[in-house]
Structures are given as structure tokens and as C-alpha cells.
Amino acid sequence: MVLFAEVVATSGEVAATRSRKAKVAALAGLLARLDRAEIRFATAFLAGELPGGRAGVGWSTLSTATVSPSEQAALTVSEVDESIDRLREISGSGSAQRRTDALTALLGAATEDEQRFLVRLLGGELRQGALEGVMLEAIATAAGVRSEVVRRAFMLSGRLALTSEAALTGGEEALAGFRLELGRPLRPMLASPADSLDQALDDLGDASVEYKLDGARIQVHRDGDEVHVWTRTLREITEHVGELVDLVRGLPCRSVVLDGETLALSDAGRPRPFQETMGRFGAQSPRDLLLQPYFFDCLHLDGLDLLDEPLHKRLDALDTVAAPHRIPGMLEPSPDQASTLLDEALDNGHEGVMVKSLDSVYAAGRRGRTWRKVKPAHTLDLVVLAAEWGHGRRTGSLSNLHLAARDPDGGPPIMVGKTFKGLTDELLAWQTEEFPRHATRSDDWAVYLHPEIVVEIELDGVQTSTRYDGGVALRFARVLRYRPDKDAANADTLDAVRALLPKR
Ligand SMILES: Nc1ncnc2c1ncn2[C@@H]1O[C@H](COP(=O)(O)OP(=O)(O)OP(=O)(O)O)[C@@H](O)[C@H]1O
């Protein structure tokens, strides 16, 4: 039996070192000592996640529940999980008070370190997912299995805790048991940036070159008449996108899993602003804005899993079910044809093109080298750490943003620059209203945020810098838009920022 204090101590060790190797060793050491029944909870806690999802405890409850800590570390991992489950179940009249009482009881049984960890865990502040890669490696080490087998199981299950449990209790055999399941989303495959279109074509050989549409990623599963739709972060949006559900239900097949992009178009056929597409995924979704799907992959068709098939076969499958809804593109274009396609995509208001190797299998997790994105402008998705109060015309508004990249080794985000450029009046108003809800503290100078809001920044490049810990700073950064479809775990890493340093 492992004490909760050991989880807290391990998490502290991981945070205290920048060495990936040391992080993996600390996590693996603890994972290897867990009892079977503790694996799920402990893995989730270490990754800053709650095994059963959010506990419904807001920052206001967390800040009122103050109680003196216990001297002795006695809580077990399972006890903490049970207490959090009980918190989650509280509902009905007087629930606010009962929630505070239950939380106070849990915190009262915790040491000072444990209290600090619990408050951050319940507040969602530890949930940065940046640890994912490190955690998968630690699971492989602790279980003595190959990391690619762990990664694949994670792609299919989408859950670190389940992956860890399978690896540690049943090894590679249990991990191989994860299959694509209709109704359970898998983690989407991502692309890495290309230096240029020609370079990408050279590197990948036979390729599919497709529009990179500026919409939102969707994953659609259909089993008979049942259809589900998820976003890139695997949030289910089925109920908000009736028109996509109806369209998929009408496709000529019994079961299918499709990967694609969706966006709303203007009457002239140009993409509507990204925010409008994202707006359709929320509770107050404006129904008059119809979404179109543009599919680019087919991962399952009528009982056959296609993940391990090469892209050209998956595209054949896509054509048999959804040819009219396939993303615009071309197979094996010449460099000239590819370049015309890129110009056409940009002229039509899209971001650029994707170049994909026709021989490649579908692989999630790490950014694949077999999908390359070609975009004329550099953009980075960064985490907002703080916003300074504006001056002059912007007095009273939260303006200058402190921007950070994800630590590839799972540490806290690393600051790489500031900007107040590109902020429209609308964005300024939104920030000023929204940011205080995410604040850890504020003063006359700025509001400091939990690292959970992701903003897409356009920039001219980066330069080495002694001002920031990461040794690199953004040049001429401007805000393009917020990315509600991403969380800090999906932000760009410091490595991605460094990759933009001028090559010597
Ligand atoms: N033809 C396409 N094939 C694959 N993905 C596409 C395509 N068109 C648009 N996309 C979008 O591009 C994303 C893949 O690019 P990437 O891996 O860089 O993710 P990203 O970080 O969201 O990209 P970016 O920040 O550049 O929009 C996908 O998640 C998808 O939403």
C-alpha cells in the first residue's frame, strides 16, 4: 500500500528537476511499488488528473476550506480517491456547505504538503498533461515493456490511468488488448512543421497534399445509427453538432471512424472566423451557422480497423463512404502542382497545406514526421501566464500578455515573451472579463493565471535571450486568436520555439 504522501513527494521531485531522465526514474520508482488497486488513482494523481473527472469544487470553495494540517502522513491513495468521489457526488440543497465540510475533512487529514497538492489537484492546476510523454516512458520503465507499445495503448485508450494499469498488471499482452473501439475516441495524429513545401515533398516521397483548413478538428464514430463527435482534446460535442451527426448517419456504411476538420463557411464559400466555428461547440451554440465536415482520414470501416493500413488504403476507404466530404487535395502531385495547390488554399483563406506520406500508418501522441504542415507564417500556441493592466486607451483593460511554452519534460510552462499587439477591442474585453476567473493572484500591475489558457501567436521569428529561462524570446509577436480547443498540454513546447531560431 502506498501512502498519498509518497505520490505528493514524487510529484515534488518531478517538478524540482529539469532532467527528463530523473523525472522518469522518480515516476517509475513509485509506479513499480503500487498495489494493483492503486495504479489507476496514483497514475492519475501524478499526472495531475482526477480519475473520475472534475470534482465540482471551484476555487471559491477551495479558498474557503482552510484547516490546520495533520502532523502525520496517514492518508492512502485509495482513501483520497474515495474522498474525492464523495465530493463529486454531493448535490441538492445545501450542497455548497456539505461540499465545504467534506473538503475540510479531507484537508484536515492531510499534511501541509498534501494539502497544497490536493488544492492544486482539485483546482485543476496540476492538470497540465505536459507530463504525458514522461509518464508514458515511466510506465514502460516500471512495467519493463517497450515504450511504443505503451504509446499505442495510450493512443487507443486515451487514458494514462488505464494504460498504466494494463502495463503494470498484464505487460505487453494486456497493452495489446486495447483496440479501436467504436464509441471511444482515440488521440488524434498530429503534424510537425515543414521548412518548405519542396522539403516536405522531398522527405516524404509519395504524398497526399491536402488543404490545411482553418477550422476545428473532429473525430466521428458511427456504429449503426449511433453517432458520436469529439474535438481534438476528445471533448464530446455530439449534441451541439446535429447537422454533422445527420450527415454521418446518412453515409453508405454500417460503422465508420472518420478524422477531419469542420468549419462554417460564409455565403461566398470562404471560411468563417475560427471563433465562430468553435462557438458552435458550446452550450449557446448559434444554430444558424452550419458546419461543414471535411474528412481526411478513415480509421475504421464496416468492422475493419484501418489504423495500421497505409494512408493510401485509408483514403480509398474514405472515398467509398464519404467522397463528397473529402478535404480538397491531390495524390502524388508534382512540385508545381503542389505549389499551385498551396497558393489556391491560401487564396481561399485557408492556412496552408498538409503533406502526408501515403505509406504512413496512423500514429498519435508524438508529432509525427509523416504528416508535415506547410504554412507561410510562423505561429505558436502558447500558454498565458499573466496579463498586465493596460495604459492610455487601454486603461482598465487587461492587455500585455505573458506568454509561455510547454516544458517538453513536463515542468511548468517557460516564459518566452510578451505581447499586446493584435489584440482587438473585442479580445481586450474578453480577456478583462475572463482572466480573473482563472487568476491565482492579482495586483496593481497584472493578473496572474493558472496555466490553462492557450493563445495562438503569429511571429516573425525568435532570438536567443538571457532574459527568459528558456534562453529564447519571441520576435514581433502578435495575437491571432485564442484556442479554446486546446489546453496547456497541447501548447507548443520550448523545443518548437527553439526550432525557429535562425540556423547558423
Ligand atoms: N488536411 C488536413 N489533415 C490533417 N489535419 C488538418 C488538415 N487540415 C486541417 N487540419 C488541422 O491541422 C491540425 C494538425 O496540425 P498540427 O498538428 O500542427 O495541430 P495544431 O497545433 O492544431 O496546428 P496549428 O496550431 O498549426 O493549427 C489538425 O489537428 C487539424 O485540426
Side-chain angles (χ1 to χ4, degrees):
M1 199 176 51
V2 163
L3 287 179
F4 185 59
E6 295 175 71
V7 171
V8 176
T10 304
S11 168
E13 257 179 76
V14 170
T17 173
R18 290 203 76 111
S19 148
R20 185 179 176 94
K21 228 163 126 192
K23 286 180 200 281
V24 170
L27 291 168
L30 183 74
L31 289 175
R33 278 187 284 128
L34 294 168
D35 284 346
R36 199 185 180 97
E38 296 167 336
I39 299 173
R40 275 197 207 193
F41 317 138
T43 307
F45 293 156
L46 284 169
E49 291 167 2
L50 293 169
R54 286 191 170 220
V57 192
W59 281 100
S60 57
T61 314
L62 286 169
S63 55
T64 51
T66 44
V67 54
S68 47
S70 152
E71 300 270 308
Q72 270 287 316
L75 281 170
T76 64
V77 171
S78 312
E79 280 167 352
V80 172
D81 183 66
E82 281 159 23
S83 302
I84 295 176
D85 270 351
R86 279 200 295 275
L87 262 176
R88 187 180 292 114
E89 279 156 19
I90 293 173
S91 64
S93 69
S95 56
Q97 185 56 45
R98 281 185 290 134
R99 211 171 278 131
T100 304
D101 293 347
L103 182 64
T104 310
L106 171 61
L107 293 178
T111 63
E112 199 173 339
D113 282 350
E114 290 172 328
Q115 282 195 350
R116 209 170 305 128
F117 184 89
L118 278 168
V119 167
R120 295 173 66 209
L121 180 71
L122 289 164
E125 200 190 329
L126 292 176
R127 193 190 55 226
Q128 34 162 320
L131 264 185
E132 230 164 55
V134 175
M135 183 64 97
L136 290 172
E137 219 170 302
I139 293 171
T141 308
V145 298
R146 286 173 296 160
S147 29
E148 64 265 28
V149 184
V150 175
R151 282 184 178 281
R152 185 182 165 84
F154 181 51
M155 162 176 96
L156 290 165
S157 69
R159 303 273 296 275
L160 277 175
L162 293 181
T163 310
S164 170
E165 187 178 56
L168 291 162
T169 57
E172 290 202 6
E173 204 180 320
L175 289 170
F178 286 105
R179 297 253 170 271
L180 193 163
E181 241 175 64
L182 291 175
R184 185 176 70 188
L186 49 114
R187 288 159 39 80
M189 178 156 176
L190 301 175
S192 50
D195 284 341
S196 69
L197 178 59
D198 286 343
Q199 184 70 49
L201 289 168
D202 265 1
D203 284 357
L204 297 183
D206 291 344
S208 167
V209 179
E210 303 160 5
Y211 276 24
K212 187 176 193 305
L213 292 185
D214 194 12
R217 184 86 174 248
I218 45 167
Q219 186 180 141
V220 177
H221 290 215
R222 169 173 162 200
D223 187 4
D225 274 342
E226 197 174 324
V227 174
H228 296 274
V229 187
W230 290 272
T231 62
R232 174 195 161 103
T233 45
L234 311 190
R235 183 164 71 85
E236 178 153 12
I237 48 162
T238 312
E239 59 172 324
H240 302 304
V241 292
E243 71 272 42
L244 298 183
V245 171
D246 289 345
L247 183 142
V248 171
R249 211 175 264 142
L251 297 178
C253 64
R254 280 173 287 115
S255 64
V256 74
V257 173
L258 296 170
D259 190 1
E261 190 82 351
T262 189
L263 73 164
L265 296 180
S266 68
D267 292 341
R270 291 180 71 81
R272 308 272 301 214
F274 173 80
Q275 287 85 336
E276 294 188 12
T277 299
M278 286 308 299
R280 280 294 318 273
F281 296 175
Q284 286 122 22
S285 134
R287 298 282 161 171
D288 53 338
L289 198 68
L290 281 186
L291 293 176
Q292 305 283 338
Y294 295 89
F295 295 117
F296 48 72
D297 221 315
C298 177
L299 310 179
H300 171 102
L301 181 59
D302 286 338
L304 280 184
D305 288 346
L306 303 171
L307 287 170
D308 296 323
E309 298 291 344
L311 178 61
H312 64 86
K313 285 221 170 129
R314 305 202 304 274
L315 292 178
D316 285 347
L318 180 56
D319 264 347
T320 65
V321 274
H325 308 289
R326 187 164 155 184
I327 207 156
M330 230 177 152
L331 293 185
E332 300 181 50
S334 67
D336 280 350
Q337 287 170 321
S339 147
T340 308
L341 196 77
L342 173 59
D343 291 344
E344 199 184 279
L346 295 172
D347 284 350
N348 285 320
H350 302 296
E351 269 185 332
V353 291
M354 291 287 242
V355 183
K356 302 176 179 175
S357 154
L358 280 170
D359 293 328
S360 61
V361 298
Y362 194 90
R366 272 187 221 164
R367 287 186 179 267
R369 304 281 300 160
T370 52
W371 285 16
R372 302 284 178 83
K373 52 182 170 184
V374 181
K375 298 196 284 191
H378 294 300
T379 60
L380 290 169
D381 295 324
L382 299 171
V383 180
V384 182
L385 293 184
E388 295 170 15
W389 292 106
H391 303 287
R393 209 174 68 79
R394 293 186 175 182
T395 301
S397 295
L398 284 171
S399 174
N400 204 12
L401 302 174
H402 296 200
L403 302 165
R406 177 157 64 91
D407 178 352
D409 297 327
I414 303 159
M415 187 145 166
V416 290
K418 296 186 189 181
T419 191
F420 51 80
K421 303 225 169 68
L423 287 167
T424 57
D425 288 346
E426 207 181 345
L427 282 175
L428 286 168
W430 179 82
Q431 290 182 179
T432 308
E433 190 187 327
E434 184 68 19
F435 283 4
R437 298 195 190 115
H438 302 265
T440 50
R441 63 193 173 89
S442 46
D443 54 28
D444 292 347
W445 175 246
V447 171
Y448 304 86
L449 309 181
H450 291 288
E452 57 195 9
I453 294 180
V454 176
V455 65
E456 187 170 350
I457 297 292
E458 193 171 47
L459 63 161
D460 288 0
V462 304
Q463 62 200 13
T464 52
S465 155
T466 48
R467 177 169 341 156
Y468 300 122
D469 285 350
V472 57
L474 310 178
R475 290 180 53 230
F476 303 109
R478 51 222 176 248
V479 172
L480 270 187
R481 60 193 173 183
Y482 278 93
R483 295 289 307 246
D485 58 328
K486 289 197 170 185
D487 52 26
N490 305 118
D492 279 307
T493 59
L494 187 65
D495 291 344
V497 181
R498 286 211 182 111
L500 300 178
L501 279 169
K503 300 199 171 65
R504 284 171 205 287

